[in-house]
Amino acid sequence: MMQTEAGVLILAATPIGDVEDASPALRRAILQADVIAAEDTRRFRDLCRRLGLEPTASVVSYFEGNEAGRVEGLLASMQDGATVVVVTDAGMPVVSDPGFRIVQAAAEAGIRVTAVPGPSAVLTALAVSGLPSDRFTFEGFVSRKPGERRRALADVAEERRTMVFFEAPHRLGAFLADAADALGADRPAVVCRELTKTYEEVLRGTLSELATWAQGEVRGEITIVVAGAVPRAGSLPEAVDDVVAQVEAGERFKAAVSAAAERHGVAKQALYDAALVARKERA
């Protein structure tokens, strides 16, 4: 849909700990907003107090429990020309925080959506972890239910990219113990606690070591970074059978080779040559 000349939706990142991380752009957005949708209005007003700001905007609550119900009113405000700013308790809205529904609705209505970039626990933890950051995946919060948590971790056991998780401090020990079982006790990981705050702590070790540490009392905001899986030494004959099966199912030969080489951890050229021979023998 074409964008209209209506208002604008601004997703504004707020400090994850140190209030001095607030950008000039965040200050401007707060002061220029017509409506501010805040995850916790009390925490937002405290942030403004610490920043020395006195916003004139209408401030409304916008959290998980009422997010869906707020969309219609916020959208109507923007269609009337208002600037609506979404802020959450810390970091970037939408990333494991409210914001997705209003972004989706604004985009569908042709209203401009932009962001004030800023602090992010995901990127900060990844940067300080010392683990590979060229490719990573954000897993957010896994289920608090033990069985579902174990299944979720088992699903990413073969993930080769570095993984970033959020977890509540009182569940950290159980999360790390289950991660050690699902991903391997010796898998390197980093627990980042209270990032950018006075008592920031970054602990590096294996999942087993960190699980033992976390059996004590842990407090604060937690972000966990876990190394990706190391490719296993694959079986070339199994990979060849995989290629043949894919081709018989309609996949193009080169695409089948690429996919099977990735899955089985074998050299692509060696697999290509072996699969060509197998195809001729089975023709």
Side-chain angles (χ1 to χ4, degrees), residues 8-270:
V8 60
L9 176 65
I10 302 175
L11 307 172
T14 55
I16 61 175
D18 189 346
V19 71
E20 293 185 3
D21 290 338
S23 68
L26 173 62
R27 296 169 184 269
R28 285 196 302 272
I30 290 173
L31 292 176
Q32 295 173 4
D34 297 303
V35 180
I36 295 174
E39 183 177 12
D40 186 319
T41 57
R42 288 171 299 180
R43 292 185 66 167
F44 171 70
R45 293 189 189 282
D46 182 62
L47 173 64
C48 289
R49 179 188 59 77
R50 289 183 289 149
L51 292 174
L53 302 178
E54 296 184 4
T56 58
S58 170
V59 179
V60 299
S61 64
Y62 184 71
F63 59 95
E64 184 179 0
N66 73 355
E67 183 178 3
R70 286 288 191 201
V71 168
E72 184 177 352
L74 293 173
L75 187 60
S77 294
M78 288 183 283
Q79 289 172 328
D80 287 340
T83 294
V84 173
V85 174
V86 176
V87 294
T88 54
D89 292 346
M92 177 60 73
V94 181
V95 182
S96 280
D97 273 328
F100 171 73
R101 288 184 175 87
I102 189 60
V103 170
Q104 188 177 52
E108 290 178 352
I111 292 171
R112 179 172 174 247
V113 179
T114 187
V116 173
S120 164
V122 176
L123 297 181
T124 303
L126 183 67
V128 303
S129 71
L131 295 175
S133 59
D134 54 332
R135 299 176 69 230
F136 70 94
T137 174
F138 175 56
E139 301 296 328
F141 287 97
V142 296
S143 175
R144 66 185 64 189
K145 297 179 180 179
E148 293 180 7
R149 179 174 60 233
R150 294 186 190 108
R151 284 192 290 274
L153 290 168
D155 286 343
V156 297
E158 299 302 320
E159 173 60 64
R160 297 186 189 180
R161 294 170 292 183
T162 298
M163 296 170 281
V164 183
F165 298 86
F166 287 161
E167 189 52 278
H170 62 280
R171 292 195 297 269
L172 180 61
F175 171 91
L176 291 169
D178 287 343
D181 287 341
L183 310 181
D186 294 330
R187 181 81 69 95
V190 181
V191 172
C192 301
R193 190 182 72 83
E194 296 289 85
L195 284 168
T196 79
K197 298 180 183 177
T198 302
Y199 299 104
E200 176 181 283
E201 189 173 21
V202 178
L203 293 162
R204 300 176 178 86
T206 65
L207 283 171
S208 178
E209 292 168 341
L210 292 171
T212 299
W213 165 80
Q215 294 311 305
E217 184 179 17
V218 179
R219 295 181 179 180
E221 300 290 333
I222 303 294
T223 307
I224 307 148
V225 187
V226 181
V230 176
R232 295 176 296 179
S235 165
L236 187 59
E238 290 180 2
V240 168
D241 290 341
D242 190 357
V243 171
V244 172
Q246 288 187 70
V247 171
E248 290 177 348
E251 181 62 88
R252 292 183 297 108
F253 181 71
K254 287 186 177 180
V257 169
S258 295
E262 177 73 16
R263 278 195 294 271
H264 295 272
V266 299
K268 186 184 297 185
Q269 188 60 53

